[in-house]
Structure formats: C-alpha cells, structure tokens
Amino acid sequence: QVQLVESGGGLVQAGGSLRLSCAASGSTNSINIMGWHRQAPGKQRELVAGISSGGNTNYADFVKGRFTISRDNAKNTVYLQMNSLKPEDTAVYYCKMRSWSKYDYWGQGTQVTVSS
C-alpha cells in the first residue's frame, strides 16, 4: 500500500504562482509514474501532468508553458510548479501515483483557487 499526502494549495490572484507537493509513504518502491489531475466543479477529473520514473514528462495542452512537474525519488515526492495561474485553473488538484503493476493511488486533493 501507498499513502499520499498533498500540500501547497490555496488562494492566489490571477498571474500568481503556487507549488503543490505530494509525498508518498509505504510501499514506495512499487511506484512508477507520478502525476497530477484536477477536477473543477461540475466537470470531470482531468490529467494535468505526469512524470515517469525515468523523468519523462507529459502535460495537458492547457498548462503547457505554465506548469512544471518534477519528482524527487529520494523523498518519494512529486511537485507541480504552477505559474501564470488563471481563474480557469481553479479546481481540486489530486496527486496520483501508479505502481509498476498499474495500480493507482490517489491523494485526498488540495484546493487551488485563482481569483480574477
């Protein structure tokens, strides 16, 4: 089992920045891919960014050039640096980690609110 604890959400003005963190504990040697999803009110949860154990990254088109995902394998932590935030980025952000056996672990979610 893997437990995920997220931090770093909050309220920020448009154009501002936030950095989300997600730390894993438990069977962390089973983790392959780390990533972030988000869910806005009334909308489906969607992928924001992902990073493989080898450091390969992928981003949703709506965050390219603004958000950066990174990971610290020694700390079993994934980060999401969010710059140039827009009101439409307002959502609950969820950390997800996928094991080598393709089992998904989810964090509890952290609220990000961007005011105009």
Side-chain angles (χ1 to χ4, degrees):
Q1 287 291 326
V2 173
Q3 295 78 43
L4 304 179
V5 178
E6 301 157 353
S7 61
L11 173 64
V12 65
Q13 287 188 331
S17 299
L18 284 174
R19 187 193 195 206
L20 305 182
S21 300
C22 176
S25 60
S27 302
T28 56
N29 58 353
S30 69
I31 296 170
N32 177 16
I33 298 171
M34 299 180 174
W36 292 92
H37 289 63
R38 72 184 188 186
Q39 188 167 18
K43 295 187 176 181
Q44 290 189 333
R45 193 172 298 188
E46 59 186 357
L47 172 70
V48 175
I51 183 167
S52 71
S53 58
N56 294 317
T57 59
N58 67 291
Y59 295 92
D61 286 344
F62 52 78
V63 301
K64 283 182 180 177
R66 300 189 298 125
F67 292 8
T68 302
I69 190 169
S70 61
R71 63 190 283 171
D72 184 334
N73 291 325
K75 296 181 178 180
N76 300 306
T77 300
V78 61
Y79 304 96
L80 186 69
Q81 178 66 44
M82 304 185 294
N83 298 329
S84 302
L85 282 161
K86 305 175 182 180
E88 52 262 44
D89 293 318
T90 295
V92 178
Y93 284 70
Y94 295 92
C95 170
K96 187 183 86 172
M97 296 193 184
R98 175 166 288 182
S99 71
W100 290 99
S101 60
K102 293 183 170 54
Y103 186 86
D104 290 335
Y105 299 94
W106 290 91
Q108 79 282 2
T110 185
Q111 177 70 45
V112 172
T113 303
V114 185
S115 63
S116 58

